[in-house]
Amino acid sequence: MSAEYGADQIQILEGLEAVRKRPGMYIGSTSARGLHHLVYEIVDNAIDEALAGFCSNIYVSVNEDNSVTVVDDGRGIPVGINTKAGLPAVEVVFTVLHAGGKFGGGGYKVSGGLHGVGASVVNALSRWLEVTIYKEGKMYRQRYERGKVMYPLEIAGDCDPERTGTEVSFLPDDQIFEETVYDYNTLKQRLREMAFLTKNVRITLEDKRPGQEVKKVFHYEGGIREFVTYLNRGKTPLYPDIIYCEGTRDGIYVEVAMQHNDSYTEGSYSFVNNITTPEGGTHLTGYKNALTKTFNDYAKTNKLIKENDQNLSGDDIREGLTAIISIKIGEPQFEGQTKQKLGNSEARGAVESVVTEQLTIFLEQHPQAAKIIIEKSIVSQRAREAARKARELTRRKSALDGLALPGKLADCSDKDPANCEIYIVEGDSAGGSAKTARSRATQAILPLRGKILNVEKARLDKIYANAEIKAMITAFGTGIHEDFDITKLRYHKIIIMTDADVDGAHIATLLLTFLYRFMPKLIEDGYVYLATPPLYKLEKNRKVWYAYSEEQLASILQEVGRDQNNKIQRYKGLGEMDPEQLWETTMDPERRILKRVTMDPDQLSEIDLTFTTLMGDQVEPRREFIEENAKKVRNLDI
Ligand code: TTJ
């Protein structure tokens, strides 16, 4: 018996060695993103048990040593011998690749992590992992180290006979991961999303690390309806109801929730088996088709638009719409470069059918909301038409004038975009210094006057008419909207340079909001940076130091000694530096600090919410947000 056990072991270990050799193949990366995916992968198993109807509580803790514990109150992973492997099913789950969910039968596995790779991958990449199963009054336990079984599944003691469930603790292996410290906020956002997507499951997250102890419970009876309310919380809804459609077609479970707000941007997030599909796919197409057709039919039947009028476009109807589209499907097929796009053709029809049927009923029962939406869509249609004409005009003009770069732009002479940078500078005076200071060959300067337009609060026609925005679009060379072409980008670094104070931070946020809404690919592909001007200049005995933070100033003072020969200057704005100083501190590629702006693809709806909260018109959520994040930004301005 024990010899057989050992023989099985050898084969199994080969499988997990492959995971340790090429971890990226299984979890995408060994950076912070991969580290966090370990948690999602384990939690997904408990979510599956909740979806099957057997689990209502999931507890997640980050422990003092950065290990993570996940506990559920499901049926518990089976401990009986799996006949095919000749091992307890739980051991198979943790030691055989792709074994997750296939054991025990009943119900299909629907949720999934980055690639739905399963618990064995987490085990392979953990310094240690321990599983405890509570069932029939017993505690079953097994421990693994770097994927290797430490002892056969044992009965570790008795438990309350009423108690059932699974508990898994693991410590990510620092031989594998570049980063091993968990970020509470990252976990919080994804677990909140999981709770929205799985109504009735209660997810608790506790951080037990000394000095940052915190506990939070996510439990949403309304599911994705509450998700929409949450995403709209910084905005003004146009009607009180959340439109909700739910149904099953061809074995595909479809759920859609939506509500319009008075903004001009669309926020649609689609999920397949609880995994986000940022690139959409067939389910999103089905949803969009249903929306466009149902609203146009309703508008015509109820004479809100005339029979001969142009149809409302999907974009018009979805202006200011927040929506969650979530489907559960047995065998999802993901396509595209990043495997984030659903390919199953049957999903299109399923979503289209459920949404058409239930949206039609909603509109008939809520004529007032219907009227508001259609009126907003008609205004959007007119603005879109005006914007199209304005764009046509600039396009024709630029065709006539050659490139027609903006007058304020001091362009660089190098024509290879890979070598070129553009500094977007707040204010004419700083712009002037930057033009003097720059390295002409590779650095272009675009000065912007005053506060730039808040695109969260403006409609398309107004945005395209804005001089500063037009200047950026033409300088970048990429075009915008359906014309956007990243290969035409004229600079591979777009650097936002603003004063190191609250106003400067505000202007930087306005610029980022514009880029995020209209040219997100620039951020996704890593072309956008923030310049970091110094906060202090210290002079002593004709020597000069610059400090970019309070901490740095303190350490410089420590080094040079505190005495009355020190001349400390606090920089309030870029304008206080002469061109030479600006070059030395902020623009010289050898000495400057650039911060690259990044987007975590796992947190898209949260990023969106951040912009809405910061730039939208509701005061209370913004105040809360700033208070919550005050710790992180306290060095912004002192
Ligand atoms: C499978 O079908 C028979 C009854 O038990 C089902 C099962 O595996 N349930 C289950 C697995 N509940 N919870 C898990 C689980 C929980 C965690 C935290 C981690 C893992 C790998 C599985």
Side-chain angles (χ1 to χ4, degrees):
M1 205 41 203
S2 67
E4 230 174 65
Y5 181 88
D8 274 337
Q9 222 34 42
I10 290 159
Q11 201 205 343
I12 287 160
L13 286 179
E14 274 173 4
L16 292 193
E17 272 313 315
V19 179
R20 290 181 61 83
K21 272 201 192 110
R22 310 188 67 183
M25 290 246 311
Y26 297 87
I27 52 158
S29 82
T30 52
S31 63
R33 192 175 181 206
L35 180 79
H36 289 80
H37 272 286
L38 299 185
V39 180
Y40 312 150
E41 195 61 53
I42 294 298
V43 173
D44 279 342
N45 290 278
I47 293 273
D48 279 337
E49 188 70 351
L51 289 171
F54 297 101
C55 159
S56 37
N57 291 286
I58 299 173
Y59 168 88
V60 180
S61 67
V62 183
N63 309 315
E64 285 199 25
D65 59 352
N66 256 300
S67 67
V68 170
T69 298
V70 181
V71 187
D72 77 10
D73 61 354
R75 290 167 293 180
I77 307 176
V79 293
I81 299 293
N82 170 269
T83 44
K84 210 167 131 210
L87 294 169
V90 54
E91 185 170 332
V92 178
V93 166
F94 283 99
T95 58
V96 180
L97 269 177
H98 297 292
K102 285 187 191 133
F103 292 80
Y108 58 174
K109 183 179 166 64
V110 285
S111 80
L114 185 60
H115 303 115
V117 287
S120 61
V121 168
V122 179
N123 189 24
L125 302 178
S126 293
R127 177 66 195 79
W128 55 261
L129 182 147
E130 218 166 74
V131 57
T132 308
I133 291 142
Y134 302 87
K135 61 165 83 182
E136 292 148 10
K138 297 268 184 282
M139 290 195 294
Y140 298 85
R141 184 165 294 152
Q142 191 163 42
R143 182 182 167 94
Y144 318 86
E145 293 186 6
R146 298 203 164 102
K148 290 181 185 146
V149 173
M150 288 295 105
Y151 50 79
L153 184 68
E154 67 172 24
I155 293 178
D158 294 332
C159 69
D160 179 345
E162 298 288 298
R163 177 167 185 185
T164 63
T166 305
E167 176 172 335
V168 174
S169 297
F170 64 94
L171 180 72
D173 192 346
D174 61 8
Q175 289 181 356
I176 302 279
F177 291 95
E178 294 140 43
E179 174 66 65
T180 50
V181 179
Y182 277 106
D183 178 54
Y184 174 79
N185 282 317
T186 303
L187 293 175
K188 180 180 83 180
Q189 280 156 16
R190 174 64 182 145
L191 292 179
R192 171 161 40 212
E193 187 173 271
M194 283 179 166
F196 277 129
L197 291 167
T198 319
K199 57 178 161 238
N200 287 326
V201 70
R202 179 196 306 273
I203 303 181
T204 305
L205 172 63
E206 182 168 11
D207 196 335
K208 292 182 167 176
R209 289 170 294 187
Q212 56 186 88
E213 292 95 339
V214 51
K215 187 168 173 175
K216 218 168 157 70
V217 179
F218 305 108
H219 181 218
Y220 305 106
E221 285 179 10
I224 62 169
R225 274 170 286 204
E226 285 192 61
F227 200 168
V228 169
T229 303
Y230 172 77
L231 292 173
N232 267 348
R233 81 176 184 191
K235 307 188 180 182
T236 310
L238 287 187
Y239 42 88
D241 327 76
I242 303 286
I243 305 173
Y244 181 68
C245 314
E246 184 192 22
T248 303
R249 298 280 188 287
D250 292 336
I252 303 170
Y253 174 70
V254 177
E255 219 189 344
V256 174
M258 52 195 162
Q259 184 187 44
H260 285 82
N261 59 64
D262 71 350
S263 81
Y264 308 117
T265 45
E266 177 191 356
S268 298
Y269 302 95
S270 60
F271 298 85
V272 174
N273 299 348
N274 287 0
I275 309 167
T276 73
T277 40
E279 290 176 48
T282 48
H283 57 323
L284 199 67
T285 308
Y287 153 79
K288 287 183 175 176
N289 290 348
L291 218 62
T292 309
K293 181 167 187 320
T294 308
F295 273 106
N296 275 296
D297 285 353
Y298 180 88
K300 289 204 169 143
T301 311
N302 293 279
K303 313 235 174 320
L304 295 168
I305 58 174
K306 293 198 201 81
E307 199 58 47
N308 307 328
D309 278 357
Q310 209 193 337
N311 270 349
L312 297 166
S313 75
D315 287 334
D316 295 331
I317 294 162
R318 296 193 311 275
E319 184 191 86
L321 179 64
T322 298
I324 300 293
I325 300 98
S326 172
I327 72 162
K328 307 271 161 64
I329 183 167
E331 281 181 39
Q333 272 140 27
F334 293 105
E335 298 178 339
Q337 256 184 352
T338 49
K339 298 268 176 251
Q340 288 178 325
K341 185 175 179 185
L342 186 71
N344 303 57
S345 61
E346 66 277 19
R348 184 186 309 112
V351 179
E352 200 168 323
S353 158
V354 170
V355 174
T356 303
E357 179 191 291
Q358 291 177 37
L359 182 58
T360 304
I361 296 171
F362 176 89
L363 295 180
E364 274 161 14
Q365 291 177 346
H366 300 82
Q368 218 161 348
K371 190 159 172 262
I372 291 169
I373 299 167
I374 286 164
E375 280 170 359
K376 177 171 164 106
S377 307
I378 292 170
V379 180
S380 163
Q381 186 180 44
R382 290 192 193 124
R384 201 176 300 280
E385 185 58 22
R388 194 185 56 76
K389 283 188 182 141
R391 251 183 308 146
E392 245 351 43
L393 214 66
T394 29
R395 210 169 2 194
R396 234 177 300 145
K397 252 209 324 236
S398 58
L400 284 176
D401 312 348
L403 255 173
L405 289 167
K408 296 185 294 181
L409 174 76
D411 207 5
C412 51
S413 53
D414 197 317
K415 292 296 165 227
D416 179 359
N419 301 331
C420 296
E421 315 176 337
I422 181 168
Y423 275 82
I424 301 177
V425 188
E426 143 195 21
D428 282 335
S429 80
S433 295
K435 282 183 189 178
T436 311
R438 72 188 174 129
S439 159
R440 283 173 176 274
T442 57
Q443 295 181 321
I445 309 293
L446 182 65
L448 297 180
R449 199 163 293 130
K451 297 237 150 160
I452 90 144
L453 185 69
N454 180 354
V455 298
E456 287 292 311
K457 290 189 188 167
R459 217 169 218 140
L460 224 48
D461 49 344
K462 202 173 142 205
I463 294 169
Y464 288 142
N466 181 270
E468 321 294 324
I469 285 179
K470 274 199 285 198
M472 283 189 279
I473 298 171
T474 35
F476 295 167
T478 54
I480 197 160
H481 244 241
E482 60 264 36
D483 296 337
F484 184 85
D485 181 354
I486 192 86
T487 64
K488 296 212 176 107
L489 182 61
R490 300 178 60 248
Y491 314 91
H492 281 192
K493 287 197 175 74
I494 295 170
I495 303 167
I496 297 172
M497 184 161 74
T498 58
D499 289 343
D501 63 4
V502 168
D503 285 338
H506 186 225
I507 291 166
T509 314
L510 287 165
L511 288 167
L512 286 174
T513 308
F514 163 67
L515 295 176
Y516 170 71
R517 290 289 182 215
F518 287 83
M519 304 176 167
K521 193 139 175 58
L522 293 182
I523 300 179
E524 281 164 32
D525 290 359
Y527 293 120
V528 180
Y529 297 82
L530 296 172
T532 319
L535 291 178
Y536 294 99
K537 177 185 177 187
L538 172 75
E539 261 185 274
K540 182 179 182 173
N541 307 334
R542 273 182 283 149
K543 272 172 81 181
V544 176
W545 291 263
Y546 294 102
Y548 295 82
S549 65
E550 298 293 330
E551 289 80 10
Q552 199 181 1
L553 177 66
S555 85
I556 293 170
L557 281 170
Q558 188 118 48
E559 205 177 295
V560 304
R562 285 172 208 266
D563 62 57
Q564 59 275 56
N565 288 336
N566 290 349
K567 232 179 82 197
I568 300 178
Q569 185 189 350
R570 166 73 165 96
Y571 285 121
K572 294 243 160 48
L574 300 166
E576 291 175 29
M577 281 182 269
D578 60 37
E580 197 179 332
Q581 290 170 336
L582 189 61
W583 167 256
E584 285 177 6
T585 60
T586 320
M587 296 180 69
D588 177 3
E590 301 293 318
R591 284 178 281 184
R592 70 187 176 192
I593 301 171
L594 285 189
K595 294 184 190 146
R596 181 183 256 162
V597 180
T598 58
M599 295 210 270
D600 181 348
D602 295 330
Q603 320 252 295
L604 292 182
S605 72
E606 282 293 331
I607 294 171
D608 198 275
L609 191 61
T610 304
F611 279 109
T612 306
T613 312
L614 285 174
M615 308 320 287
D617 40 28
Q618 302 273 319
V619 177
E620 188 55 20
R622 174 160 47 240
R623 196 182 60 76
E624 277 173 28
F625 179 89
I626 290 172
E627 273 177 16
E628 261 180 49
N629 291 279
K631 269 190 275 169
K632 281 190 270 177
V633 295
R634 71 171 185 278
N635 289 330
L636 213 57
D637 185 61
I638 302 143

